[in-house]
Amino acid sequence: MRVKIHREGTHVLTVLIAGLLLVNIPLWIWLPHYLWIAAAVSAVSAVFFLLVLNFYRSPRRHFPGNPVNAVVSAADGKVVALEETYEGEYLKCRCVQLSVFMSPLNVHANWFPVDGEVVYATHHDGRCRAAYLPKSSTENERSTVVIRTPGGQLVLMRQVAGAMARRIVTYAHPGVEASIEDHMGFIKLGSRIDLYLPLSTEIFVKIGDPTVGGITQVGLLHPEITETK
């Protein structure tokens, strides 16, 4: 997989490099007899920069399986919720909720979970509870995107900000063609992705399983059961 820097991190990394250079260069110039101090600060700066760089990595991924009716994980992380629940914002019906929690060390780019067309997208302001808590799905800052698949089914994807998250970025809007190989958005720092799937969906993961966004198939839709808005 080819890895590049996500566009959400370009400005941040540029400013960070400039700031670290402003701190480190004077130390090497002004402390010729205490080079160990300059070396220690430079080492800490390098580690910090690499951590931030790691957070903003943006791998280009290609789903290896058959994309027809496939539900693919929208994020890197770990499955933290898998249950039947009622989705009241848009679908207004019982669904399977599948949630993936992203730690600060995970890739934070988000992929579309299914192929189709975006029919709904909106942003909600909210609190900054820990993203692994159940109430974060309805009380935290969040963005909701609904995709209608080629088979006519509706899949709702929700980006949920966590306690450390400061910004949710959503590229999707109604009329956009969704592809499981494309980025849907980006969330900064710890956060989670909730998927609301038809009850007929065959689920391939369980709580605690790791996922790779755009790669791990988490479910399979059954087109013979068609849901319309």
Side-chain angles (χ1 to χ4, degrees):
M1 293 182 293
R2 182 171 59 88
V3 180
K4 63 178 183 179
I5 302 303
H6 200 280
R7 61 184 178 180
E8 299 299 331
T10 303
H11 177 70
V12 173
L13 291 170
T14 300
V15 172
L16 180 59
I17 289 174
L20 292 176
L21 289 176
L22 286 174
V23 170
N24 283 271
I25 291 176
L27 292 178
W28 286 95
I29 295 174
W30 296 340
L31 299 177
H33 301 298
Y34 299 94
L35 293 181
W36 65 271
I37 296 178
V41 173
S42 294
V44 172
S45 298
V47 170
F48 180 68
F49 178 77
L50 290 175
L51 288 174
V52 177
L53 183 69
N54 179 71
F55 175 79
Y56 283 108
R57 67 197 187 278
S58 178
R60 182 68 179 175
R61 294 171 177 168
H62 298 284
F63 179 58
N66 183 355
V68 178
N69 300 320
V71 182
V72 181
S73 179
D76 289 12
K78 182 174 68 174
V79 178
V80 294
L82 183 58
E83 60 185 355
E84 181 179 330
T85 188
Y86 180 81
E87 200 295 304
E89 179 180 348
Y90 184 91
L91 301 178
K92 310 292 185 183
C93 65
R94 303 291 294 180
C95 304
V96 175
Q97 178 184 345
L98 193 160
S99 301
V100 172
F101 175 74
M102 294 172 281
S103 77
L105 297 180
N106 288 128
V107 169
H108 269 54
N110 305 144
W111 283 258
F112 286 105
V114 293
D115 290 341
E117 180 185 356
V118 176
V119 295
Y120 174 81
T122 190
H123 180 87
H124 303 276
D125 293 327
R127 305 174 67 176
C128 286
R129 291 174 176 266
Y132 57 81
L133 295 174
K135 287 188 176 181
S136 66
S137 294
T138 55
E139 296 185 0
N140 280 22
E141 178 191 356
R142 60 202 181 277
S143 286
T144 302
V145 173
V146 179
I147 304 161
R148 188 186 301 276
T149 70
Q153 293 172 294
L154 297 177
V155 172
L156 186 147
M157 172 180 172
R158 182 170 291 140
Q159 297 169 288
V160 182
M164 295 188 296
R166 292 295 178 266
R167 187 184 177 205
I168 292 177
V169 181
T170 305
Y171 306 133
H173 56 81
V176 166
E177 182 180 350
S179 170
I180 55 178
E181 294 193 348
D182 291 340
H183 287 171
M184 192 282 288
F186 192 93
I187 312 180
K188 298 186 177 182
L189 298 180
S191 43
R192 67 187 266 180
I193 293 292
D194 296 334
L195 297 182
Y196 292 85
L197 308 168
L199 291 178
S200 60
T201 305
E202 183 179 359
I203 302 298
F204 298 151
V205 294
K206 61 183 183 300
I207 291 179
D209 282 354
T211 63
V212 179
I215 297 293
T216 303
Q217 184 171 353
V218 297
L220 181 68
L221 299 173
H222 292 286
E224 66 273 12
I225 301 178
T226 302
E227 299 180 7
T228 58
K229 178 67 179 175

